[in-house]
Amino acid sequence: AGLLLTGSERHLVSLGVLDEERVALLTKNKSTLLMLAYLMTTLTANMLSTGAFEIYVDGMPVWSKLETGRLPSLDALAASFENAGLVPLTATREF
């Protein structure tokens, strides 16, 4: 969104992120794009302000920041997934 709003849309085409047709459509609708970016930022900020960080697998809680009072470390998160019955992709737990 930022590249389109600053007039750097040619970079999106040269990087292969978007084609010319989509860049033209987004360029014509910069005000809509700006509003969407604002709404997404506001939504993200509101979601983070609750302090919630919840992970569910098949409807069962795997990690809850609200219950533990902290964000998980990679080891704690891996152990939580293993406790939920998820098998790691590799035999070792190196991160």
Side-chain angles (χ1 to χ4, degrees):
L3 288 176
L4 288 171
L5 295 174
T6 61
S8 303
E9 55 271 353
R10 69 180 188 286
H11 297 298
L12 295 173
V13 175
S14 66
L15 292 172
V17 175
L18 292 174
D19 57 38
E20 294 278 349
E21 183 179 334
R22 292 199 175 143
V23 168
L25 176 67
L26 293 171
T27 301
K28 289 178 187 176
N29 296 297
K30 284 186 180 180
S31 60
T32 303
L33 185 61
L34 181 60
M35 182 57 76
L36 181 61
Y38 173 75
L39 290 174
M40 291 302 294
T41 303
T42 302
L43 178 65
T44 302
N46 286 336
M47 290 175 68
L48 291 175
S49 69
T50 65
F53 181 80
E54 310 295 304
I55 299 176
Y56 290 85
V57 174
D58 292 330
M60 294 178 43
V62 174
W63 185 268
S64 171
K65 182 183 174 217
L66 295 176
E67 288 181 16
T68 62
R70 64 182 181 87
L71 290 172
S73 66
L74 288 177
D75 285 334
L77 194 56
S80 295
F81 283 137
E82 288 174 10
N83 291 340
L86 298 173
V87 180
L89 294 176
T90 61
T92 62
R93 286 186 18 200
E94 295 181 26
F95 296 103

